[in-house]
């Protein structure tokens, strides 16, 4: 199906007695509004733009969600939903440290309190990166930070050894060598790790899930030239690694997405590859747990995909679809027969590298797709599309700054049973980042938030259907 334009898909609106209505509902009831006290502006490097976005978690344990954002100036901010800084925050790392990835919240040491994990890089000044772990009051946990040789973007959290504490997982680049590091709650290496996985660029963060349905989680990560899967003890699984076709590389500013597409209990792995020179095409790949193409799945894109796939039941048929943007400003929704979902793809200048998320924003029990754009570095927008590819009523939203390369996150911050959204925009080259908190007014149903943020959930497992345990 041919891509359509924004002009073709804007819903018809009627003005009746001063109210803006669709034929079926009052769309004003679902108009996104910035919450009082927002947006916040923080300093950002004019060279290394903020990437990947904010996170949401109940850091102080008071029952409402807090907003976490790291900056390339090396500061990690934590506000409550009213815009007040939490006690002990912000925290800064020594110059020239940068926090580019999403902060990852979780109770790392199992003391009943929320902790915050962030990866710190040093502007390439040396070949050393750091993992920081703070407690809810902004104090470093014993054993942290940990210095690692190389460059990394962000962490994921899991308990692969089932000891009740969380491990911190990162994919790290040291020169041309890529490896996965797993550190325990006290900063020590998990036995069997690190593990090498090829060369050149690493994925954003490792993904975690029980891909072979044996009751234990496995770790999936890639470099430019190697997609790997390991058991928790570092043993490489049979059938792995998988390498891209000659001349192609796996796309580094993304992570694997895991889901059980055929409902047989094990998980499939979705990744993207591309060629770095003309004709700049690429592929979306789906592999089974043994490293084989799932049902022969490989979808060719005329211009390469360039974000982490999102997965959800977009069209309500009880099967899962893959949502991803390509560098020709096109947003795709594909089913497992490699067909485009009815109404898709959608093309509009700027829709690329935008890390889509999926949730019901208007209470109609259908998923909307939310994404930023790179239309301009100083006049970005946030988009929402209905499940059938039409532009959601009252969208797009205008923001200050550049919204691409960042994922929004959905949750109920107060909580008051309505959906909220947090996103980040960056003004370039002025060196400011804007943190937005929106009230979407739709009823909040966690079962209808199917891909809430980058890599699915706040632990960045990349695993469809995974639920972060209640702390």
């Amino acid at each position: 199906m041919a891509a359509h334009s924004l002009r073709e898909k804007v819903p018809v609106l009627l003005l009746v007695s001063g109210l803006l209505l669709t034929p079926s509902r009052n769309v004003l009831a679902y108009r996104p509004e910035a919450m009082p006290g927002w947006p916040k502006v923080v300093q950002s490097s004019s060279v290394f733009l903020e990437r990947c976005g904010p996170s949401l978690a109940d850091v102080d344990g008071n029952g409402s969600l807090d907003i976490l954002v790291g900056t390339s100036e090396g500061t990690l901010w934590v506000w409550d939903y009213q815009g007040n800084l939490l006690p002990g925050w912000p925290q800064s790392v020594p110059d020239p440290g940068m926090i580019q990835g999403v902060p990852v919240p979780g109770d790392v040491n199992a003391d009943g309190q929320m902790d915050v994990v962030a990866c710190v890089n040093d502007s390439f000044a040396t070949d050393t990166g750091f993992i920081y772990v703070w407690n809810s009051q902004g104090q470093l946990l014993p054993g942290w930070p940990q210095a690692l040789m190389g460059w990394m973007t962000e962490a994921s959290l899991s308990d692969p050894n089932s000891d009740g504490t969380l491990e911190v997982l990162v994919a790290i680049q040291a020169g041309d060598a890529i490896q996965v590091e797993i550190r325990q709650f006290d900063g020590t290496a998990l036995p069997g790790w690190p593990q090498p996985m090829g060369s050149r660029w690493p994925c954003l963060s490792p993904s975690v899930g029980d891909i072979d349905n044996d009751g234990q989680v496995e770790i999936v990560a890639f470099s430019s030239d190697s997609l790997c899967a390991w058991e928790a003890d570092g043993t490489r699984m049979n059938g792995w690694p998988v390498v891209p076709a000659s001349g192609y590389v796996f796309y580094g500013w993304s992570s694997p997405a895991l889901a059980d597409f055929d409902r047989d209990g094990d998980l499939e792995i979705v990744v993207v590859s591309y060629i770095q020179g003309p004709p700049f095409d690429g592929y979306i790949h789906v592999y089974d747990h043994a490293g084989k193409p799932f049902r022969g799945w490989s979808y060719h894109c005329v211009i390469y995909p360039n974000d982490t796939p999102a997965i959800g039941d977009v069209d309500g048929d009880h099967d899962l679809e893959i949502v991803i943007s390509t560098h020709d400003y096109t947003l795709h929704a594909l089913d497992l027969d490699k067909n485009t979902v009815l109404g898709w793809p959608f093309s509009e200048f700027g829709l690329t590298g935008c890390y889509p998320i999926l949730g019901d924003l208007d209470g109609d029990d259908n998923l909307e797709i939310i994404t930023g754009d790179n239309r301009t570095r100083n006049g970005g927008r946030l988009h929402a599309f209905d499940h059938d590819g039409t532009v959601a009523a009252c969208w797009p939203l205008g923001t200050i700054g550049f919204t691409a390369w960042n994922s929004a996150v959905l949750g109920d911050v107060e909580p008051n049973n309505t959906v909220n959204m947090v996103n980040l925009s960056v003004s370039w080259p002025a060196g400011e980042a804007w943190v937005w908190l929106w009230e979407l007014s739709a009823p909040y149903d966690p079962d209808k938030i199917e891909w809430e943020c980058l890599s699915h959930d706040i632990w960045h497992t990349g695993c469809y259907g995974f639920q972060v345990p209640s702390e």
Side-chain angles (χ1 to χ4, degrees), residues 126-180:
T126 68
D127 202 18
T128 304
F130 299 85
I131 305 174
Y132 279 74
V133 184
W134 294 274
N135 67 16
S136 60
Q137 292 80 42
Q139 300 163 334
L140 286 168
L141 291 190
W144 304 93
Q146 284 290 316
L148 302 177
M149 294 303 297
W151 178 276
M152 54 196 155
T153 303
E154 61 193 29
S156 50
L157 295 178
S158 184
D159 183 14
N161 62 352
S162 302
D163 68 348
T165 61
L166 295 179
E167 278 68 52
V168 180
L169 300 82
V170 294
I172 188 165
Q173 175 186 4
D176 282 337
I178 309 299
Q179 63 185 28
V180 173

Short mmCIF file of all heavy atoms in Angstrom, two decimals, residues 126-180:
data_model
loop_
_atom_site.label_atom_id
_atom_site.label_comp_id
_atom_site.label_asym_id
_atom_site.label_seq_id
_atom_site.Cartn_x
_atom_site.Cartn_y
_atom_site.Cartn_z
N THR A 126 39.00 9.97 26.70
CA THR A 126 39.76 8.74 26.95
C THR A 126 38.90 7.58 26.49
O THR A 126 37.78 7.78 26.01
CB THR A 126 40.09 8.57 28.44
OG1 THR A 126 38.88 8.33 29.16
CG2 THR A 126 40.78 9.82 29.00
N ASP A 127 39.38 6.39 26.65
CA ASP A 127 38.60 5.22 26.26
C ASP A 127 37.99 4.56 27.48
O ASP A 127 38.01 3.34 27.64
CB ASP A 127 39.50 4.22 25.52
CG ASP A 127 38.68 3.27 24.63
OD1 ASP A 127 37.52 3.60 24.35
OD2 ASP A 127 39.20 2.21 24.27
N THR A 128 37.43 5.38 28.38
CA THR A 128 36.85 4.88 29.62
C THR A 128 35.42 5.38 29.78
O THR A 128 35.15 6.57 29.61
CB THR A 128 37.68 5.31 30.84
OG1 THR A 128 39.02 4.88 30.68
CG2 THR A 128 37.11 4.71 32.11
N GLY A 129 34.52 4.47 30.10
CA GLY A 129 33.17 4.83 30.48
C GLY A 129 32.91 4.38 31.91
O GLY A 129 33.71 3.64 32.50
N PHE A 130 31.81 4.84 32.47
CA PHE A 130 31.49 4.53 33.86
C PHE A 130 30.02 4.16 33.97
O PHE A 130 29.17 4.70 33.27
CB PHE A 130 31.76 5.74 34.77
CG PHE A 130 33.19 6.19 34.79
CD1 PHE A 130 33.67 7.07 33.82
CD2 PHE A 130 34.06 5.73 35.76
CE1 PHE A 130 34.99 7.49 33.83
CE2 PHE A 130 35.38 6.14 35.78
CZ PHE A 130 35.84 7.02 34.81
N ILE A 131 29.74 3.24 34.88
CA ILE A 131 28.36 2.96 35.29
C ILE A 131 28.18 3.52 36.69
O ILE A 131 28.93 3.18 37.61
CB ILE A 131 28.04 1.46 35.29
CG1 ILE A 131 28.34 0.83 33.93
CG2 ILE A 131 26.57 1.24 35.65
CD1 ILE A 131 28.19 -0.68 33.93
N TYR A 132 27.20 4.40 36.85
CA TYR A 132 26.85 4.97 38.15
C TYR A 132 25.55 4.35 38.63
O TYR A 132 24.63 4.11 37.83
CB TYR A 132 26.66 6.48 38.04
CG TYR A 132 27.93 7.28 38.06
CD1 TYR A 132 28.78 7.31 36.95
CD2 TYR A 132 28.30 8.02 39.18
CE1 TYR A 132 29.95 8.05 36.96
CE2 TYR A 132 29.46 8.77 39.20
CZ TYR A 132 30.28 8.78 38.09
OH TYR A 132 31.45 9.51 38.11
N VAL A 133 25.48 4.09 39.93
CA VAL A 133 24.23 3.65 40.56
C VAL A 133 24.04 4.46 41.83
O VAL A 133 24.85 4.39 42.76
CB VAL A 133 24.24 2.14 40.90
CG1 VAL A 133 22.88 1.74 41.46
CG2 VAL A 133 24.57 1.31 39.67
N TRP A 134 22.97 5.26 41.85
CA TRP A 134 22.62 6.06 43.02
C TRP A 134 21.38 5.46 43.71
O TRP A 134 20.54 4.84 43.06
CB TRP A 134 22.26 7.49 42.61
CG TRP A 134 23.35 8.32 42.05
CD1 TRP A 134 24.26 9.07 42.74
CD2 TRP A 134 23.63 8.56 40.66
NE1 TRP A 134 25.09 9.76 41.87
CE2 TRP A 134 24.73 9.45 40.59
CE3 TRP A 134 23.07 8.10 39.46
CZ2 TRP A 134 25.27 9.89 39.38
CZ3 TRP A 134 23.61 8.52 38.26
CH2 TRP A 134 24.69 9.40 38.23
N ASN A 135 21.26 5.71 45.00
CA ASN A 135 20.03 5.34 45.68
C ASN A 135 18.99 6.44 45.49
O ASN A 135 19.23 7.43 44.78
CB ASN A 135 20.27 5.01 47.15
CG ASN A 135 20.70 6.21 47.97
OD1 ASN A 135 20.56 7.38 47.56
ND2 ASN A 135 21.23 5.97 49.16
N SER A 136 17.84 6.28 46.10
CA SER A 136 16.74 7.23 45.87
C SER A 136 17.05 8.63 46.36
O SER A 136 16.43 9.60 45.91
CB SER A 136 15.46 6.71 46.55
OG SER A 136 15.66 6.58 47.95
N GLN A 137 18.02 8.78 47.29
CA GLN A 137 18.40 10.10 47.81
C GLN A 137 19.60 10.68 47.07
O GLN A 137 20.16 11.70 47.49
CB GLN A 137 18.72 10.02 49.30
CG GLN A 137 17.51 9.73 50.19
CD GLN A 137 17.15 8.27 50.21
OE1 GLN A 137 18.02 7.40 50.27
NE2 GLN A 137 15.86 7.98 50.15
N GLY A 138 20.02 10.05 45.98
CA GLY A 138 21.13 10.57 45.20
C GLY A 138 22.50 10.21 45.73
O GLY A 138 23.50 10.81 45.33
N GLN A 139 22.58 9.22 46.62
CA GLN A 139 23.87 8.77 47.15
C GLN A 139 24.34 7.54 46.37
O GLN A 139 23.54 6.66 46.05
CB GLN A 139 23.74 8.43 48.64
CG GLN A 139 23.29 9.59 49.49
CD GLN A 139 22.76 9.15 50.85
OE1 GLN A 139 22.30 8.03 51.01
NE2 GLN A 139 22.83 10.04 51.82
N LEU A 140 25.64 7.49 46.07
CA LEU A 140 26.17 6.35 45.34
C LEU A 140 26.09 5.08 46.18
O LEU A 140 26.39 5.10 47.39
CB LEU A 140 27.62 6.61 44.94
CG LEU A 140 27.82 7.61 43.80
CD1 LEU A 140 29.29 8.01 43.70
CD2 LEU A 140 27.33 7.03 42.48
N LEU A 141 25.67 3.99 45.57
CA LEU A 141 25.69 2.71 46.27
C LEU A 141 27.12 2.21 46.41
O LEU A 141 27.99 2.53 45.60
CB LEU A 141 24.88 1.67 45.48
CG LEU A 141 23.36 1.84 45.38
CD1 LEU A 141 22.75 0.59 44.78
CD2 LEU A 141 22.73 2.15 46.72
N PRO A 142 27.39 1.43 47.46
CA PRO A 142 28.74 0.86 47.62
C PRO A 142 29.15 0.07 46.38
O PRO A 142 28.36 -0.70 45.83
CB PRO A 142 28.59 -0.06 48.84
CG PRO A 142 27.44 0.53 49.62
CD PRO A 142 26.50 1.06 48.58
N GLY A 143 30.39 0.27 45.95
CA GLY A 143 30.91 -0.42 44.78
C GLY A 143 30.75 0.33 43.48
O GLY A 143 31.24 -0.12 42.44
N TRP A 144 30.09 1.48 43.54
CA TRP A 144 29.84 2.28 42.33
C TRP A 144 30.40 3.69 42.51
O TRP A 144 30.45 4.17 43.62
CB TRP A 144 28.35 2.33 42.03
CG TRP A 144 27.73 0.98 41.90
CD1 TRP A 144 27.14 0.25 42.88
CD2 TRP A 144 27.68 0.18 40.71
NE1 TRP A 144 26.70 -0.96 42.40
CE2 TRP A 144 27.02 -1.03 41.06
CE3 TRP A 144 28.11 0.36 39.40
CZ2 TRP A 144 26.79 -2.05 40.14
CZ3 TRP A 144 27.86 -0.65 38.48
CH2 TRP A 144 27.22 -1.84 38.85
N PRO A 145 30.83 4.32 41.37
CA PRO A 145 30.74 3.89 39.97
C PRO A 145 31.78 2.85 39.61
O PRO A 145 32.78 2.70 40.32
CB PRO A 145 30.99 5.18 39.19
CG PRO A 145 31.88 5.98 40.10
CD PRO A 145 31.42 5.67 41.50
N GLN A 146 31.54 2.15 38.53
CA GLN A 146 32.48 1.19 37.97
C GLN A 146 33.03 1.74 36.65
O GLN A 146 32.27 2.16 35.77
CB GLN A 146 31.79 -0.14 37.71
CG GLN A 146 31.55 -0.95 38.97
CD GLN A 146 32.85 -1.49 39.57
OE1 GLN A 146 33.72 -1.98 38.86
NE2 GLN A 146 32.97 -1.37 40.88
N ALA A 147 34.35 1.77 36.54
CA ALA A 147 35.01 2.21 35.30
C ALA A 147 35.15 1.02 34.36
O ALA A 147 35.62 -0.04 34.76
CB ALA A 147 36.38 2.81 35.61
N LEU A 148 34.74 1.21 33.11
CA LEU A 148 34.85 0.18 32.08
C LEU A 148 35.59 0.75 30.88
O LEU A 148 35.43 1.93 30.55
CB LEU A 148 33.46 -0.31 31.64
CG LEU A 148 32.56 -0.87 32.74
CD1 LEU A 148 31.21 -1.25 32.15
CD2 LEU A 148 33.19 -2.08 33.39
N MET A 149 36.37 -0.06 30.23
CA MET A 149 37.10 0.40 29.07
C MET A 149 36.16 0.45 27.87
O MET A 149 35.70 -0.58 27.38
CB MET A 149 38.29 -0.52 28.78
CG MET A 149 39.36 -0.49 29.85
SD MET A 149 40.02 1.18 30.15
CE MET A 149 40.74 1.53 28.54
N GLY A 150 35.84 1.66 27.43
CA GLY A 150 35.05 1.79 26.23
C GLY A 150 33.88 2.74 26.36
O GLY A 150 33.69 3.42 27.37
N TRP A 151 33.08 2.78 25.30
CA TRP A 151 31.94 3.68 25.14
C TRP A 151 30.65 2.89 25.21
O TRP A 151 30.53 1.82 24.61
CB TRP A 151 32.07 4.37 23.78
CG TRP A 151 30.95 5.30 23.44
CD1 TRP A 151 29.75 4.99 22.89
CD2 TRP A 151 30.93 6.72 23.63
NE1 TRP A 151 28.97 6.11 22.73
CE2 TRP A 151 29.68 7.19 23.17
CE3 TRP A 151 31.85 7.63 24.13
CZ2 TRP A 151 29.34 8.53 23.19
CZ3 TRP A 151 31.50 8.97 24.15
CH2 TRP A 151 30.26 9.42 23.69
N MET A 152 29.66 3.38 25.96
CA MET A 152 28.37 2.72 26.06
C MET A 152 27.28 3.77 26.11
O MET A 152 27.54 4.93 26.44
CB MET A 152 28.32 1.83 27.30
CG MET A 152 28.66 2.55 28.57
SD MET A 152 29.05 1.44 29.94
CE MET A 152 30.09 2.49 30.94
N THR A 153 26.07 3.36 25.79
CA THR A 153 24.97 4.33 25.73
C THR A 153 24.07 4.24 26.94
O THR A 153 23.84 5.22 27.63
CB THR A 153 24.15 4.13 24.45
OG1 THR A 153 25.01 4.24 23.32
CG2 THR A 153 23.05 5.19 24.35
N GLU A 154 23.52 3.07 27.21
CA GLU A 154 22.63 2.94 28.36
C GLU A 154 22.59 1.50 28.83
O GLU A 154 23.04 0.58 28.13
CB GLU A 154 21.22 3.43 28.02
CG GLU A 154 20.56 2.66 26.91
CD GLU A 154 19.32 3.38 26.43
OE1 GLU A 154 19.28 4.61 26.51
OE2 GLU A 154 18.41 2.69 25.96
N ALA A 155 22.05 1.32 30.01
CA ALA A 155 22.02 0.01 30.65
C ALA A 155 20.64 -0.62 30.52
O ALA A 155 19.65 0.03 30.20
CB ALA A 155 22.39 0.14 32.13
N SER A 156 20.60 -1.92 30.78
CA SER A 156 19.35 -2.62 31.06
C SER A 156 19.50 -3.35 32.38
O SER A 156 20.62 -3.56 32.87
CB SER A 156 18.98 -3.58 29.93
OG SER A 156 20.06 -4.42 29.58
N LEU A 157 18.38 -3.70 33.00
CA LEU A 157 18.37 -4.37 34.29
C LEU A 157 17.65 -5.70 34.19
O LEU A 157 16.65 -5.83 33.47
CB LEU A 157 17.68 -3.51 35.35
CG LEU A 157 18.33 -2.19 35.74
CD1 LEU A 157 17.48 -1.46 36.78
CD2 LEU A 157 19.73 -2.41 36.28
N SER A 158 18.14 -6.67 34.94
CA SER A 158 17.47 -7.97 35.03
C SER A 158 18.11 -8.73 36.19
O SER A 158 19.09 -8.28 36.78
CB SER A 158 17.63 -8.76 33.72
OG SER A 158 16.91 -9.98 33.77
N ASP A 159 17.55 -9.90 36.48
CA ASP A 159 18.11 -10.78 37.50
C ASP A 159 18.40 -12.13 36.86
O ASP A 159 17.75 -13.14 37.16
CB ASP A 159 17.14 -10.93 38.67
CG ASP A 159 17.71 -11.78 39.81
OD1 ASP A 159 18.93 -12.03 39.81
OD2 ASP A 159 16.93 -12.20 40.68
N PRO A 160 19.38 -12.20 35.95
CA PRO A 160 19.62 -13.45 35.23
C PRO A 160 20.07 -14.61 36.10
O PRO A 160 19.83 -15.76 35.75
CB PRO A 160 20.69 -13.07 34.20
CG PRO A 160 21.34 -11.84 34.74
CD PRO A 160 20.27 -11.12 35.49
N ASN A 161 20.73 -14.34 37.24
CA ASN A 161 21.17 -15.44 38.10
C ASN A 161 20.18 -15.75 39.22
O ASN A 161 20.46 -16.59 40.08
CB ASN A 161 22.55 -15.13 38.70
CG ASN A 161 22.54 -13.89 39.58
OD1 ASN A 161 21.54 -13.16 39.63
ND2 ASN A 161 23.64 -13.65 40.28
N SER A 162 19.03 -15.08 39.21
CA SER A 162 17.91 -15.38 40.12
C SER A 162 18.31 -15.34 41.59
O SER A 162 17.85 -16.15 42.40
CB SER A 162 17.31 -16.75 39.78
OG SER A 162 16.85 -16.80 38.46
N ASP A 163 19.16 -14.35 41.95
CA ASP A 163 19.57 -14.24 43.35
C ASP A 163 18.79 -13.19 44.12
O ASP A 163 19.07 -12.92 45.28
CB ASP A 163 21.07 -13.95 43.43
CG ASP A 163 21.44 -12.56 42.93
OD1 ASP A 163 20.57 -11.90 42.29
OD2 ASP A 163 22.59 -12.14 43.15
N GLY A 164 17.79 -12.57 43.48
CA GLY A 164 16.95 -11.58 44.15
C GLY A 164 17.43 -10.16 44.02
O GLY A 164 16.69 -9.24 44.36
N THR A 165 18.66 -9.94 43.58
CA THR A 165 19.15 -8.60 43.29
C THR A 165 19.24 -8.42 41.78
O THR A 165 19.20 -9.39 41.02
CB THR A 165 20.53 -8.35 43.92
OG1 THR A 165 21.47 -9.29 43.37
CG2 THR A 165 20.48 -8.49 45.43
N LEU A 166 19.36 -7.16 41.35
CA LEU A 166 19.39 -6.88 39.92
C LEU A 166 20.83 -6.75 39.43
O LEU A 166 21.69 -6.20 40.12
CB LEU A 166 18.63 -5.59 39.61
CG LEU A 166 17.13 -5.61 39.88
CD1 LEU A 166 16.51 -4.25 39.55
CD2 LEU A 166 16.45 -6.72 39.07
N GLU A 167 21.04 -7.25 38.22
CA GLU A 167 22.31 -7.03 37.53
C GLU A 167 22.15 -5.89 36.53
O GLU A 167 21.04 -5.63 36.02
CB GLU A 167 22.75 -8.30 36.79
CG GLU A 167 23.46 -9.31 37.66
CD GLU A 167 22.56 -9.95 38.68
OE1 GLU A 167 21.49 -10.46 38.32
OE2 GLU A 167 22.93 -9.94 39.89
N VAL A 168 23.26 -5.20 36.26
CA VAL A 168 23.32 -4.10 35.31
C VAL A 168 24.03 -4.61 34.06
O VAL A 168 25.17 -5.09 34.13
CB VAL A 168 24.08 -2.90 35.90
CG1 VAL A 168 24.13 -1.76 34.89
CG2 VAL A 168 23.44 -2.44 37.21
N LEU A 169 23.36 -4.51 32.92
CA LEU A 169 23.88 -5.02 31.66
C LEU A 169 24.17 -3.86 30.72
O LEU A 169 23.33 -2.96 30.56
CB LEU A 169 22.88 -5.96 30.98
CG LEU A 169 22.44 -7.23 31.73
CD1 LEU A 169 21.34 -6.94 32.74
CD2 LEU A 169 21.98 -8.29 30.74
N VAL A 170 25.34 -3.88 30.08
CA VAL A 170 25.68 -2.86 29.09
C VAL A 170 26.39 -3.52 27.92
O VAL A 170 27.06 -4.54 28.06
CB VAL A 170 26.59 -1.75 29.67
CG1 VAL A 170 25.86 -0.95 30.74
CG2 VAL A 170 27.89 -2.32 30.22
N ALA A 171 26.22 -2.92 26.73
CA ALA A 171 27.01 -3.27 25.55
C ALA A 171 28.02 -2.14 25.37
O ALA A 171 27.65 -0.96 25.33
CB ALA A 171 26.11 -3.39 24.32
N ILE A 172 29.30 -2.48 25.28
CA ILE A 172 30.36 -1.48 25.35
C ILE A 172 31.34 -1.66 24.21
O ILE A 172 31.63 -2.78 23.77
CB ILE A 172 31.06 -1.57 26.73
CG1 ILE A 172 32.03 -0.41 26.93
CG2 ILE A 172 31.75 -2.91 26.92
CD1 ILE A 172 32.48 -0.24 28.37
N GLN A 173 31.83 -0.52 23.71
CA GLN A 173 32.79 -0.50 22.62
C GLN A 173 34.13 -0.01 23.13
O GLN A 173 34.23 1.09 23.68
CB GLN A 173 32.32 0.42 21.50
CG GLN A 173 33.31 0.59 20.37
CD GLN A 173 32.87 1.63 19.35
OE1 GLN A 173 31.84 2.26 19.52
NE2 GLN A 173 33.64 1.78 18.30
N ALA A 174 35.16 -0.82 22.95
CA ALA A 174 36.53 -0.43 23.28
C ALA A 174 37.36 -0.56 22.01
O ALA A 174 37.69 -1.68 21.60
CB ALA A 174 37.10 -1.30 24.39
N GLY A 175 37.67 0.57 21.38
CA GLY A 175 38.28 0.51 20.06
C GLY A 175 37.30 -0.08 19.08
O GLY A 175 36.17 0.39 18.97
N ASP A 176 37.71 -1.15 18.37
CA ASP A 176 36.80 -1.85 17.47
C ASP A 176 36.17 -3.08 18.11
O ASP A 176 35.38 -3.76 17.47
CB ASP A 176 37.53 -2.25 16.19
CG ASP A 176 37.72 -1.10 15.23
OD1 ASP A 176 36.95 -0.13 15.32
OD2 ASP A 176 38.65 -1.16 14.41
N ALA A 177 36.54 -3.38 19.34
CA ALA A 177 36.04 -4.58 20.00
C ALA A 177 34.78 -4.26 20.80
O ALA A 177 34.73 -3.25 21.51
CB ALA A 177 37.11 -5.17 20.91
N ILE A 178 33.77 -5.12 20.69
CA ILE A 178 32.50 -4.94 21.38
C ILE A 178 32.31 -6.11 22.34
O ILE A 178 32.60 -7.26 22.01
CB ILE A 178 31.32 -4.90 20.39
CG1 ILE A 178 31.58 -3.90 19.27
CG2 ILE A 178 30.03 -4.55 21.13
CD1 ILE A 178 31.75 -2.49 19.71
N GLN A 179 31.81 -5.80 23.53
CA GLN A 179 31.50 -6.88 24.47
C GLN A 179 30.31 -6.48 25.33
O GLN A 179 29.94 -5.31 25.42
CB GLN A 179 32.70 -7.21 25.36
CG GLN A 179 33.17 -6.10 26.26
CD GLN A 179 34.44 -6.48 27.01
OE1 GLN A 179 35.25 -7.27 26.53
NE2 GLN A 179 34.63 -5.91 28.18
N VAL A 180 29.70 -7.49 25.94
CA VAL A 180 28.62 -7.29 26.91
C VAL A 180 29.19 -7.48 28.30
O VAL A 180 29.83 -8.50 28.59
CB VAL A 180 27.46 -8.26 26.66
CG1 VAL A 180 26.43 -8.16 27.78
CG2 VAL A 180 26.80 -7.99 25.32
#
